[in-house]
Amino acid sequence: MQPSPFGPPADWPVDDLIGYSRGFDAGLVVAAYRSGVFPMPIGRGTMGWFSPLQRGVLPLDGLRVSRSLRKTIKRYELRLDTAFEEVLDRCADPSREGAWINREIRTVYTELHRAGLVHSVEAWTADGRLAGGLYGISVGGLFAGESMFHDEEIGRDASKAALVGLVAVLRSAGGAGRLLDAQWRTDHLATLGVVEIDRFGYLERLAVALRLDPPEWRTGPLDATLRHQDPATD
């Protein structure tokens, strides 16, 4: 693993927040993810850099899909990278509880999307409306999920459907050694199979993942053979 711009992990604080900066750009963001660190704003003009002591990850063979979700998924067409900016806008909606995506985040992640490093997975209704989706950064065999949303009126379980699609993309590239980072395990994410590993366990897995090639991100509808991969069912 390349040297971290945040110094040796052994010297990081015993806290999820390991540093902060005034500067913020695409190069620093990529270097941070390669170091096991991700950004979130912590105040006006200040970016916090986090490496949780207990990291949420979703094992690719551990995704839990309920029978009701399996039925709901069939309502949607899953697509890759066809509406990234709209997904980002919906995730950034300031009326959402816990909204954190600010102008700096939007600018840099849009730049990284155009560079082919940030991707969206979208769930569309049969009549062509965006019902839900997610976005995150893909570096080597790491996919770090950033945010997800669903439309309250038309998007029942649409963000979960997008997650199923994401796992299919990652598994299609060969699941061994790949890492799906969920940042923190919440009660909601736990129902989908997200588990916790400690910081240094995560960094060990990250070092393996970064040696892998990224998945092939093809803009457009998710291949039917991928979306019908058989995840675990509760």
Side-chain angles (χ1 to χ4, degrees), residues 56 64 160 182 184-196:
R64 297 175 185 167
K160 296 178 183 179
W184 286 284
R185 176 186 179 274
T186 65
D187 290 343
H188 169 67
L189 291 176
T191 66
L192 297 170
V194 170
V195 299
E196 288 184 333

Side-chain angles (χ1 to χ4, degrees), residues 3-166:
S4 169
F6 304 94
D11 294 341
W12 293 351
V14 184
D15 192 276
D16 289 358
L17 176 63
I18 67 160
Y20 61 90
S21 69
R22 293 287 183 176
F24 184 68
D25 59 38
L28 180 56
V29 168
V30 174
Y33 282 100
R34 296 185 64 89
S35 304
V37 180
F38 59 86
M40 291 186 73
I42 58 173
R44 187 175 181 86
T46 303
M47 192 63 64
W49 298 93
F50 293 82
S51 179
L53 295 171
Q54 294 296 317
R55 191 74 164 240
V57 300
L58 177 58
L60 297 185
D61 60 356
L63 175 65
R64 297 175 185 167
V65 180
S66 66
R67 289 180 174 81
S68 62
L69 175 56
R70 190 180 292 275
K71 293 178 182 178
T72 303
I73 290 173
K74 296 177 181 178
R75 301 179 185 175
Y76 301 118
E77 178 183 56
L78 301 181
R79 304 179 191 171
L80 305 179
D81 287 334
T82 65
F84 169 76
E85 292 191 21
E86 186 174 354
V87 170
L88 183 58
D89 286 345
R90 299 292 293 274
C91 289
D93 183 349
S95 69
R96 296 181 68 190
E97 183 178 356
W100 58 274
I101 299 172
N102 64 10
R103 182 179 300 177
E104 287 182 298
I105 292 285
R106 292 163 65 103
T107 297
V108 168
Y109 282 75
T110 298
E111 179 183 345
L112 289 170
H113 170 67
R114 291 171 180 163
L117 293 175
V118 167
H119 301 278
S120 62
V121 185
E122 309 134 14
W124 296 82
T125 64
D127 59 353
R129 293 182 290 172
L130 181 61
L134 60 83
Y135 79 93
I137 187 166
S138 176
V139 181
L142 166 71
F143 187 91
E146 286 297 305
S147 188
M148 57 201 311
F149 85 96
H150 70 277
D151 187 293
E152 294 287 349
E153 295 183 1
I154 63 171
R156 179 175 176 268
D157 285 342
S159 59
K160 296 178 183 179
L163 180 61
V164 172
L166 171 63

